[in-house]
Amino acid sequence: MDDDFQIPGAGYDAAYGGMGMDMGMGMGMGMGMGMDDLETDLPEENPTLKIGEEREIGNNNLRKKLLKEGEGWENPTSRDEVEVHYVGSLLDGTQFDSSHDHGTPFKFKLGEGHVIEGWEEGIKTMKKGEKALFTIPPELAYGESGSPPKIPPNATLQFEVELLSWISVKDICKDGGILKKVLTEGEGWQNPKDLDEVFVKYEARLEDGTLVSKSDGVEFTVTDGYFCPALSKALKTMKKGEKVLLTVKPTYGFGKNGRSTTGDDCDVPPNANLEINLELVSWKTVSDITNDKKVLKKILLEGDGYDRPSDGATVHLKLIGKLQDGTVFEKKGHNEEPLFEFRVDEDKVIEGLDRAVKTMKKGEIAFVTIKSEYAFGPSESQQDLAVVPGNSTVYYEVEMVSFVKEKESWEMSAQEKIEAAAKKKEEGNAWFKAGKYQRASKRYEKAVSFIEYESSFNEEEKKQAEVLKITCNLNIAACKLKLKDYKEAERLCTEVLEIDSKNVKALYRRAQAYIHLVELDLAEVDIKKAIEIDPDNRDVKLGYKFLKDKVKEYNRKDAQFYGNIIAKMSKLEQAKSVGADAKHGKMTMAIDRLKNIIAPVSREQIKGWFLPLVMVILAIVLYSYFKN
């Protein structure tokens, strides 16, 4: 170790006995188009228009003129239930229909063939409250047949449409298994994730209206789904306060077996469709701090802003540590006691708590669950208020009162950066000597970050920075060797050698990396060069001896490896009787040739392309022989 490291149809006419026009059937039957032909969410173009501006949308001569701007940025899509007012006219101005004459808005579902295609395409470009004039060519309206008596054949139509509102209907799983109709929009933009704990209200019924399950408030983890799998999938698409109606196929309900009565819930018959009213009241965010579900943090109260403690920050906390049975083993910062204070990533608290605290914001209150691997381990541990038994999962309620981060490099003068780098190097040295190589490496990396891209250094400061950078990179390489990250160690040493080609430590450590990467020829080059520069260096001499031993070891393995292959080939030859046919003779010749190919090949070649190639050739030869 270095000391220095996304038209009106039959509805109105049937309801009001009016003009006898069936716009939906005109499209669906007269034009030979069904629902599948309308399953597009948006035309290829959804232009932004100014009031009074007209433009073609899509590629079918459909034109749109904006009369009034809408709100927001969202547009309705297929399956959404839209509500509109409209006035329909021929090009000569003759009006043939109007929702205003009927007294109420027209409602229909997009994408289900209820309206002409021009409406389908046009309304999908509108925003809530928007009013537009659509000029629809006959091919997107009633075509050659028209819709007598009001609409002649091959008529181009004009519709003034105002999109009042829509209820969004989403196919959550893209297979029709769960359709979600939004009844009340939620707040914000976030959705709960698998590990989050949600608080919901729901009411589940069969298609005939029979109530099968209900709760006025229940809390569970999203991934659990609680009542049925559909809840888990739907909740991950919902926002806080959102209310929806789910139409659920058996696949996402209770399947072909159904469900028997449980508690207050009723039977669900086999292959039953369900309708579930679901409200996401709130949720608590749960984070997998260590990505292995062994340190989980549940936020009880959101903190302020976005800032969080970094390594080296001093944190001020209130905390209570408990065992699974509720036994309190640690309590700090409560009952007018001083706040618990420590520096992050300094091994002052158990690893799970240290890592969880780094994710907290000022004012945040969280509940942290820590498995024994990140807590007190397999042995019991005496804490302030109780003994923590070995292999215990522990639980902390933590409040981040405040924290003070270390000074950032952009806040420092040139000389302060050099001093800060030197300090981090010394901290790294201490952690290296303690065998904490990951912590040591992070300190050295921080040191390099202070001085790596500084352009304001004077000549003296540049020299100091270069020495520090070389030293720290060498020390990071030493850490990486200990952590068995040999490729990174090799890279760091190469970086140093690009600055100082005769740096013995860089040559020696790169040689160590090469040995572990089984690049023995490269390791020998570096070791010999290091000896040439510093012939009396004891570590380098020992390294050279270690390299020679490794070469002998690999040669022995090579000899054994080749011997085994050749021995197996010889046994195969001996198993054949004298006087074998010409085919066997060819086999023998093939084996002899294979022996000659293998014999001169070095282990360096084998670890690349050669060994797999030999194995393939041998397999082909043996297969051909035994098959015939």
Side-chain angles (χ1 to χ4, degrees), residues 189-198 221-223 232 235-236 283-286:
W189 56 271
Q190 293 179 306
N191 312 111
K193 305 295 187 294
D194 281 335
L195 294 174
D196 293 349
E197 292 186 6
V198 292
T221 300
V222 171
T223 192
S232 176
L235 285 164
K236 288 187 284 187
W283 78 83
K284 297 182 180 75
T285 301
V286 178

Side-chain angles (χ1 to χ4, degrees), residues 496-508:
V496 169
L497 289 165
E498 287 172 352
I499 300 172
D500 178 6
S501 63
K502 295 185 177 181
N503 190 293
V504 173
K505 289 178 181 176
L507 289 165
Y508 173 61

Side-chain angles (χ1 to χ4, degrees), residues 331 333-338:
K331 189 172 184 178
H334 291 271
N335 302 326
E336 299 183 356
E337 290 183 356

Side-chain angles (χ1 to χ4, degrees), residues 402-426:
S402 64
F403 58 86
V404 180
K405 299 174 74 171
E406 290 188 312
K407 203 172 183 179
E408 299 290 349
S409 62
W410 55 268
E411 300 175 290
M412 300 177 183
S413 66
Q415 190 57 41
E416 285 177 321
K417 289 178 182 179
I418 290 175
E419 291 171 0
K423 181 181 177 182
K424 285 297 175 186
K425 184 200 73 176
E426 294 303 326

